[in-house]
Amino acid sequence: MRYKKKIAALESKNKEIQDLLNTCTVKLNTCLTEKEAMASQMEFLKKNNSDLINNMGNMTTLSAKGAQNIEKALETIKEKDLKISRMQDALTKKDSVTLALVTSIKSSVGISDPDIEVNVEKGVVFISIADKLLFKSGSYNVSDKAKSVLAKVAKVINDKPTFECMVEGHTDNVPYIGNGFLIDNWG
């Protein structure tokens, strides 16, 4: 009997160990399955990491090229800003000189006569003298009053040798009476 009890106890212990072995085997199989899944996931992560590192290298290269392009663009913009600034300075200087010329013409001619106008359009000084002040009707001879005004304008312009000057004169449409040098008012 003693042996029977020992055998029963051993069989019971054997069953416990067998159950424990089965449980461990199940857990081992589960762990092995998880290990394979993790190994697969690890490979995926390694590849993904490698791709990210490569992309980062490409981005660094692109960033460096982008920085160079931005730097070149900024240099170009600075050059253009400098040109624009120089042009604005030149225009300001020209406008100042033009304004001084207009002021000088107005003061020297003594412009209060409504038949004489001095205007600035697009940086050009226009002096308009009415045809009735310049010429008598039906004549191409400049009047004495107009000669006085033109002499004063000529003096101001001669004092500014760098200025370009153009003179135009137009009479009225009354035909000339005279000596035959001119055929008509267009002559």
Side-chain angles (χ1 to χ4, degrees), residues 118-185:
V118 179
N119 296 315
V120 178
E121 295 176 23
K122 297 180 184 176
V124 178
V125 179
F126 288 94
I127 305 169
S128 299
I129 303 173
D131 60 348
K132 66 182 179 179
L133 178 66
L134 285 172
F135 309 102
K136 291 181 182 175
S137 184
S139 173
Y140 56 84
N141 293 320
V142 178
S143 72
D144 290 337
K145 186 174 181 182
K147 285 181 184 177
S148 170
V149 170
L150 290 173
K152 291 175 184 177
V153 170
K155 181 179 180 341
V156 171
I157 292 173
N158 284 334
D159 289 343
K160 311 279 189 229
T162 59
F163 271 72
E164 294 181 22
C165 178
M166 184 173 83
V167 178
E168 291 182 20
H170 304 280
T171 65
D172 59 15
N173 61 355
V174 176
Y176 296 130
I177 303 170
N179 55 16
F181 289 115
L182 300 174
I183 300 169
D184 58 25
N185 293 36

Side-chain angles (χ1 to χ4, degrees), residues 17-141:
I17 291 173
Q18 194 66 33
D19 288 344
L20 187 58
L21 177 64
N22 288 340
T23 303
C24 286
T25 303
V26 168
K27 284 184 179 181
L28 176 65
N29 288 336
T30 302
C31 287
L32 289 174
T33 304
E34 287 176 4
K35 179 185 172 194
E36 285 179 27
M38 285 186 169
S40 174
Q41 191 172 18
M42 185 71 131
E43 286 301 314
F44 171 78
L45 290 173
K46 282 181 183 178
K47 184 181 181 320
N48 196 22
N49 189 35
S50 176
D51 290 347
L52 288 173
I53 289 170
N54 287 338
N55 286 341
M56 189 174 78
N58 292 340
M59 293 301 285
T60 302
T61 302
L62 290 175
S63 295
K65 287 180 182 176
Q68 288 173 347
N69 289 340
I70 290 171
E71 191 173 317
K72 286 178 185 177
L74 287 173
E75 286 176 22
T76 302
I77 289 170
K78 283 180 186 176
E79 289 172 10
K80 288 182 180 180
D81 281 348
L82 184 60
K83 285 180 184 178
I84 289 170
S85 179
R86 287 179 183 160
M87 291 172 80
Q88 286 175 333
D89 290 345
L91 285 173
T92 301
K93 184 177 177 183
K94 182 182 177 194
D95 288 347
S96 297
V97 172
T98 301
L99 182 61
L101 179 64
V102 169
T103 305
S104 180
I105 289 171
K106 283 184 178 181
S107 64
S108 71
V109 174
I111 295 183
S112 58
D113 192 329
D115 292 330
I116 303 170
E117 290 181 22
V118 179
N119 296 315
V120 178
E121 295 176 23
K122 297 180 184 176
V124 178
V125 179
F126 288 94
I127 305 169
S128 299
I129 303 173
D131 60 348
K132 66 182 179 179
L133 178 66
L134 285 172
F135 309 102
K136 291 181 182 175
S137 184
S139 173
Y140 56 84
N141 293 320

